[in-house]
Every structure is written in C-alpha cells, then in structure tokens.
Amino acid sequence: MPLALLALAIGAFGIGTTEFVIAGLLPRVATDFSVSIPTAGYLISGYALAVTVGALPMTLLGTRMRRKHLLLALMVVFIVGNVLSALAPGYGVMMAGRVVAAFCHGAFFGVGSVVAADLVAPDRRASAIAFMFTGLTLANVLGVPMGTFLGQSFGWRSTFWAVAALGVIGLIGIAALVPDQPRSTTARIGAELAALRNPQVWLAVATTALGFGGVFASFTYITPMMTEIAGFSEGAVSWLLVLFGVGLVIGNLLGGRFADRALMPSLYITLAGLALVLAVFTLTARAQIPAMITLFLLGAFGFATVAPLQTRMLDNARKAPTVASAVNIAAFNLGNALAAWLGGLVIGSGLGYTAPNWVGALLVTAALGVTAISALLDRRTAPARRPETQLA
C-alpha cells in the first residue's frame, strides 16, 4: 500500500477519536459547563447531525479544487474545530467547535475514499479504502481509551488539544505524501450532482444506511445490555469496548480484501452474517462468554461491510464519484442516528435491552433486499453499459 494511505489513515484516526471520545468525558464536560448529562450528550448527536448535513455542501464547495488541496483544507477545518472545543468558555462555543469539526468528517472520508481508490490498481480499491478506514477503527481501540484517560488525568480540554495535534500530523502527512492528482475534467458541480440521478447511487445509499445502521441499533445500548442482561460490572465495559474495537479492525481489513476479489458476493455474505449475529445476540447477551464472542463478531461483521459499501458507491458513480462518495458517508451517520432512535423506541416500549438487536437484524435484512434489487438492476442494464476500469 502507498505511504499516502498512511497519511489518510492518520487523518481518519484523529477524526474518529474526536467523534467518539466525548462519550467518556461527558460527566466532566457537563460539570464544567453546569449542564445536565443529557444536555452534554447533545454534543454527540449534534456532531452526528452536522456530519450528515455538512457532507454534501462541504464536498460541493471543493469540487473546483484538486482533491489533495481539498483534503488539506478539510484538515484545517478539523484542527480549528478541535482548538475551538479546547478553548470553549461555555457550552454554546463547545457545541460550535463540535459542529465545525464534524463538517469536515463526511467530506474527508468521501474524498479520501476516492483518493485512496485512485492510488492503487483497480483490483485493490476496496483494500485501499479499508486501509484508510483502519484509522477510524483504531480510533475506537486506541484513540478513545487514550483520549479518555488523558481527559480524566489532565482535564477534558487536554484531550481536544491532543486531537488537534493529531490533525496537524495528518495535515503534514497529506501535504508530504499524498500525490497532487490532476483535477478530474468532470469535477464540476453539475456533473457531480448529475451522478445523484442514478438510481443505483440511491440504492447504494439505502444499503449503507440500513446495513450499517443495524450495527448502531445494538451498539448504542451495549452498556446496559452488558451490565443489566449479561451481568458484567460497569468497570468491565471499557475492555468490552476494546474487544468490539478489535473486531472492527479485523473485519475492516478482511472486508476490503474480500471485496476486491468479489464485491457483490462479499456484500451478501457480510450483510447476511451481520443480520445473523444481531439476531443471535438477543440470546447470547444473557451469558457473559457468549456475549463477548457475539460482541466481537458484531464489530467484525459490522465493519466488514464498510469498504464494500463505499466501493459499491464508487462503482455506481465512476464519472463523478466525489459527491456521491460523501453522500454515502453521510448515509452511515444518518443510519446510525435512525437505528439508535428505533432501538430506544423498542426499549421504551418495555421490550427490554436486547430488543434493539432485533431492530438491527431487521434493518440489515432490509439492506440485503436492497442489495438484491441493485444486483438485479445491474443485470438488466449490463448489456447497455460499456465496462469501465478506472475512476474518473
């Protein structure tokens, strides 16, 4: 893999850390700003909403820029957002810093996916995308625990200073290692938006939102599920999350490798496996060792879908992939928010903490159905299309 992918992975690591680390710092942030824990929790949902809303406009603003220059600009936005959070005198400024940092998220992963795919041979695109997303998975395994420890030891502001420093390292790495690819002749706002008229693009978006959303239907409520149902102590949750994170890393790398060999079969297998794991989790959550195994598999199958889903989007928007790719990143976050809300509804209705697993299984099954429809449409239109081997 080219060294340029390492620079992209470092940027992804910083972005992933700033997205998730706030969860471990909520009590301290709430106390410092004299707000309730639920109010402080809006710093998480506000970030996710800003990712969803900001992905498309931020990418469109950069359509006239070379992709490397756009990535550099996005890292600057990320650094500014985290510095603003570190300096925030009150809750409102803190939220503003979170929103600013989030605005770079969707566009960075969207544009970064296109750049990563262009850095390698066509038959290694999914692996290249997976390598970049390894930074995001490692953020869960290393970045979040380390950031939480730093914030608990030296104050939560130190965490955001550290994340801003990661952004600077990523900025330097992109400037030094990512090649300055020529701007595509189709990189115009009209051409990029025209790609969104392709029904296959929206089928890919639906598959992403439903498929990966199924993971968060369960994972959002993993703490009460593990403590109230499986019987783990609250202190055990941290290493359970590390176990889940290890599954993310392994699944991400394997998902990229298998997608390079056979994209659609890998999508079918990973989505079917994920639906099965979620369904089984309803039963295995009642005993500690089976719960641990299933939690690991949830991470593995969950993130094994990411590279195939993103590669599928790039396949369906070859001539103008940048905006479509960013929209797909927004779909990940939209699906997460929707699934978390649905999971909360079934818990609130009295069905218990394992009920979100069934919600997730149904969402992923729906994603399988959308994938089958997309494949059928592929077969019907294949004779009318010329095979293409390179991204625009």
Side-chain angles (χ1 to χ4, degrees):
M1 288 292 175
L3 278 176
L5 291 177
L6 179 60
L8 295 175
I10 292 172
F13 180 82
I15 292 172
T17 300
T18 203
E19 178 180 14
F20 298 116
V21 75
I22 187 68
L25 302 174
L26 280 185
R28 292 173 177 266
V29 172
T31 299
D32 205 12
F33 291 143
S34 300
V35 298
S36 67
I37 293 290
T39 299
Y42 292 145
L43 294 169
I44 298 175
S45 54
Y47 184 99
L49 181 60
V51 172
T52 304
V53 173
L56 181 57
M58 289 294 287
T59 306
L60 286 174
L61 285 174
T63 51
R64 295 187 177 277
M65 301 173 64
R66 290 175 179 265
R67 288 171 183 154
K68 175 177 180 176
H69 297 169
L70 177 55
L71 288 173
L72 291 172
L74 291 170
M75 288 309 299
V76 170
V77 172
F78 172 77
I79 294 165
V80 170
N82 281 283
V83 169
L84 191 60
S85 294
L87 294 172
Y91 178 82
V93 177
M94 178 70 174
M95 178 63 81
R98 295 284 292 166
V99 169
V100 169
F103 261 50
C104 87
H105 184 124
F108 181 88
F109 282 106
V111 176
S113 295
V114 178
V115 172
D118 278 350
L119 287 171
V120 298
D123 62 349
R124 300 196 70 193
R125 291 179 303 154
S127 293
I129 292 171
F131 189 93
M132 182 190 72
F133 274 96
T134 298
L136 183 60
T137 60
L138 286 175
N140 287 274
V141 180
L142 300 175
V144 172
M146 291 172 62
T148 301
F149 173 78
L150 186 65
Q152 291 173 346
S153 301
F154 302 101
W156 63 265
R157 295 178 188 274
S158 66
T159 299
F160 288 95
W161 283 117
V163 173
L166 282 174
V168 172
I169 295 171
L171 179 71
I172 295 171
I174 291 170
L177 299 175
V178 174
D180 192 7
Q181 301 166 335
R183 185 165 60 91
S184 170
T185 57
T186 61
R188 301 185 302 273
I189 291 179
E192 291 285 349
L193 291 178
L196 300 181
R197 293 201 293 266
N198 181 357
Q200 287 282 34
V201 167
W202 291 107
L203 288 173
V205 167
T207 304
T208 295
L210 293 168
F212 199 75
V215 177
F216 265 73
S218 174
F219 182 69
T220 301
Y221 305 99
I222 201 66
T223 296
M225 197 188 311
M226 293 293 98
T227 55
E228 300 294 330
I229 306 300
F232 286 101
S233 67
E234 289 188 1
V237 172
S238 295
W239 62 261
L240 286 171
L241 293 180
V242 172
L243 178 66
F244 175 77
V246 171
L248 294 181
V249 174
I250 294 174
N252 175 56
L253 295 175
L254 290 178
R257 177 170 296 183
F258 289 128
D260 279 332
R261 295 178 180 177
L263 178 59
M264 293 306 290
S266 72
L267 263 180
Y268 286 128
I269 292 171
T270 54
L271 289 173
L274 178 58
L276 179 61
V277 167
L278 284 163
V280 168
F281 207 1
T282 305
L283 303 174
T284 58
R286 303 183 184 280
Q288 291 188 353
I289 293 179
M292 291 168 56
I293 295 171
T294 314
L295 181 61
F296 170 82
L297 291 175
L298 176 65
F301 275 99
F303 235 83
T305 66
V306 172
L309 288 170
Q310 195 68 359
T311 304
R312 177 67 176 164
M313 175 59 81
L314 296 182
D315 282 349
N316 288 317
R318 288 180 181 273
K319 293 183 179 180
T322 308
V323 166
S325 180
V327 168
N328 204 44
I329 297 298
F332 279 105
N333 287 272
L334 181 62
N336 294 349
L338 174 64
W341 175 68
L342 291 173
L345 284 182
V346 296
I347 291 174
S349 67
L351 295 177
Y353 288 122
T354 61
N357 294 321
W358 282 112
V359 173
L362 291 173
L363 288 173
V364 178
T365 301
L368 263 173
V370 175
T371 302
I373 293 171
S374 179
L376 179 62
L377 185 59
D378 265 348
R379 287 194 292 271
R380 288 181 175 179
T381 59
R385 294 187 306 176
R386 291 190 305 170
E388 297 177 272
T389 58
Q390 297 291 335
L391 290 172

